[in-house]
Amino acid sequence: MLVLALDTATTVVTAGLVDLGPDGPRTLAARAHDGRRHGELLMPAVRALCAEAGHALAEVGAVVVGAGPGPFTGLRVGIASATALGHALDVPVHGVVTHDALAWGLHTGGNLLVVTDARRTEVYWAAYDASDPADARSVRRLTGPAVEAPEALAARLDELAIGTVVGDPAFAQRLGREIGGPGAPAVDGLVGVAAADLLAGRAPAPVEPLYLRRPDAAPPTGRKRVTA
């Protein structure tokens, strides 16, 4: 099955074509660009990676998109693009938790923490049990995703029994831990999280963005008085 994978929940725009078979996902082509230009870069990246992989977009059998958590604008761009492509191609669109995709494939021998930039000096995070040696690609989410200040999260790391932290390295000092890669999900991770549903042909639920908090913008509460 040829799967188009997209994610715009982090500081990186991720897009890729993945061949999914019984042995798991295999990346055919991938693009990663500056996440501050989601709207400008996403669809050109899709066209470029199709050309690189030698496949027409019409050959895509499913779309997988990261549903966050992430900032409002980025998530809207990614999910709207994935939904539009799914509609145009008449293929299912599966949403996955972006942090699950970041954790996919990481065998750390213990509990794993994934952190990404939530802006407002906060982080989005989720904790995983990545200790199963039988299948290094399979991780179980223990808690999250959630959003809070790194200092508040740092106070809980021992409680969560975190051994390894991956994600955005900008928060290493505030967390008091070294943060390794990856900082954004790989396309095989996005498809890997949804692989069981894709291979079984299960119909996906509607993709709901994980904002985790209210937007900065708010509707006006009253009319401004105008005097002569």
Side-chain angles (χ1 to χ4, degrees):
M1 176 188 296
L2 188 64
V3 183
L4 175 65
L6 307 173
D7 187 89
T8 55
T10 72
T11 56
V12 176
V13 174
T14 301
L17 275 181
V18 177
D19 179 22
L20 177 62
D23 294 330
R26 179 173 63 91
T27 301
L28 302 178
R31 289 284 187 275
H33 295 291
D34 185 349
R36 292 170 296 183
R37 299 172 60 199
H38 297 97
E40 298 172 57
L41 297 175
L42 187 56
M43 291 312 300
V46 169
R47 290 192 292 269
L49 62 90
C50 285
E52 178 182 334
H55 286 280
L57 190 56
E59 297 176 58
V60 167
V63 179
V64 174
V65 61
F72 293 87
T73 301
L75 283 188
R76 283 197 297 269
V77 169
I79 292 175
S81 299
T83 302
L85 284 166
H87 179 74
L89 298 170
D90 193 24
V91 299
V93 179
H94 292 256
V96 300
V97 175
T98 296
H99 288 55
D100 290 359
L102 269 157
W104 187 89
L106 298 180
H107 178 212
T108 64
N111 288 355
L112 168 72
L113 181 73
V114 177
V115 294
T116 59
D117 187 3
R119 302 179 184 174
R120 305 187 197 173
T121 71
E122 294 181 322
V123 291
Y124 295 118
W125 66 271
Y128 299 83
D129 177 0
S131 61
D132 185 1
D135 185 356
R137 297 184 302 181
S138 177
V139 294
R140 178 172 62 92
R141 193 182 336 137
L142 300 171
T143 186
V147 58
E148 63 185 319
E151 292 80 7
L153 177 57
R156 301 180 56 195
L157 295 185
D158 289 341
E159 170 195 338
L160 295 168
I162 298 300
T164 304
V165 185
V166 301
D168 192 329
F171 295 96
Q173 183 173 359
R174 295 177 64 195
L175 276 177
R177 293 286 188 96
E178 180 180 348
I179 300 178
V187 293
D188 61 344
L190 291 162
V191 175
V193 173
D197 289 336
L198 288 165
L199 291 173
R202 299 188 187 103
V207 181
E208 297 290 342
L210 293 170
Y211 292 133
L212 301 189
R213 63 187 179 199
R214 297 178 62 84
D216 292 323
T221 57
R223 295 184 178 180
K224 185 176 181 180
R225 184 177 179 182
V226 178
T227 58

